[in-house]
Amino acid sequence: MENIEQLVATLSKDVTPVKSAPHPYVLSLKWLAIASAYLIVSFAFSGFRPDLANAMQNPWFVAELVLLFVLFITTAIAAAVLSFPDMHQKRNMAYGPLWVAGLFVLMILFAWLADSPSTPLPMHSLACTVSIILFSLPPFVATFYALRKLASTHLRLSSSIAVLFALSTGAIWERLHEQNDSIIHVIEWHYLPILACSVLGLWLGKKLLKW
């Protein structure tokens, strides 16, 4: 018996204390704070679209911005919840972005129907997609770095949601920076590429988040 107690005491001395993971709400607030600071600094350098005051008179533009920010918040919370094997007993929070995305699609559909006659397309096209992706790279790298330290067992979904979180940051910046009111352009070169990248995120999870 003494030998067993001595063995336990010896082994316990060699154990390195493991720091417990923060609550998912705390974790998501940290990610949101960092991404928000990134947006603020970016706008300090790039500035807002010169016609922002006029654009805010359009209720569909305001609705789009509101839902973008809601998506920004819910994807951060969902990614944090999904970083725990048991989703921290908050399964509903993990799937919150899906409901927001559904509302977003409906809003875009109504905005498209309301855009009659259609607003002229801007001269550029692919440049917007590239800008959103490049702008989203820092939050993408930071979020995936944090997720790799945690213990998600939902690699595909957490990866896809994390990609959507990063891209929502880029989408917010692009809509507030680019002077453009063409809903067709926004659908084709903003949101369809974001959807495609989020689907790609399902594959990235197995590559970047596996233990």
Side-chain angles (χ1 to χ4, degrees), residues 66-126:
V66 169
L67 285 175
L68 270 179
F69 275 102
V70 173
L71 189 66
F72 173 64
I73 294 169
T74 55
T75 49
I77 296 172
V81 168
L82 286 164
S83 66
F84 292 82
D86 62 347
M87 299 188 193
H88 221 275
Q89 292 83 51
K90 301 182 185 302
R91 182 177 294 271
N92 290 338
M93 302 301 296
Y95 296 102
L98 298 179
W99 294 101
V100 180
L103 288 174
F104 194 87
V105 170
L106 284 176
M107 182 278 302
I108 288 292
L109 175 61
F110 283 122
W112 174 57
L113 293 174
D115 187 33
S116 180
S118 298
T119 304
L121 292 169
M123 297 299 293
H124 58 279
S125 54
L126 184 61

Side-chain angles (χ1 to χ4, degrees), residues 121-129 174 178-180 185 189-190:
L121 292 169
M123 297 299 293
H124 58 279
S125 54
L126 184 61
C128 282
T129 304
E174 187 69 17
E178 178 197 23
Q179 186 172 349
N180 166 50
H185 169 86
W189 299 107
H190 290 218

Side-chain angles (χ1 to χ4, degrees), residues 123-202:
M123 297 299 293
H124 58 279
S125 54
L126 184 61
C128 282
T129 304
V130 174
S131 294
I132 291 172
I133 292 174
L134 291 178
F135 188 90
S136 303
L137 283 178
F140 168 81
V141 173
T143 306
F144 270 76
Y145 177 75
L147 286 174
R148 281 182 61 86
K149 292 179 167 183
L150 299 167
S152 176
T153 56
H154 315 280
L155 304 184
R156 293 182 182 276
L157 185 57
S158 61
S159 172
S160 180
I161 294 294
V163 168
L164 189 54
F165 167 66
L167 289 170
S168 67
T169 309
I172 290 170
W173 176 80
E174 187 69 17
R175 287 302 277 139
L176 288 173
H177 172 70
E178 178 197 23
Q179 186 172 349
N180 166 50
D181 293 313
S182 171
I183 192 66
I184 296 296
H185 169 86
V186 169
I187 292 172
E188 290 182 349
W189 299 107
H190 290 218
Y191 298 129
L192 286 180
I194 287 175
L195 176 61
C197 289
S198 298
V199 173
L200 179 62
L202 296 171

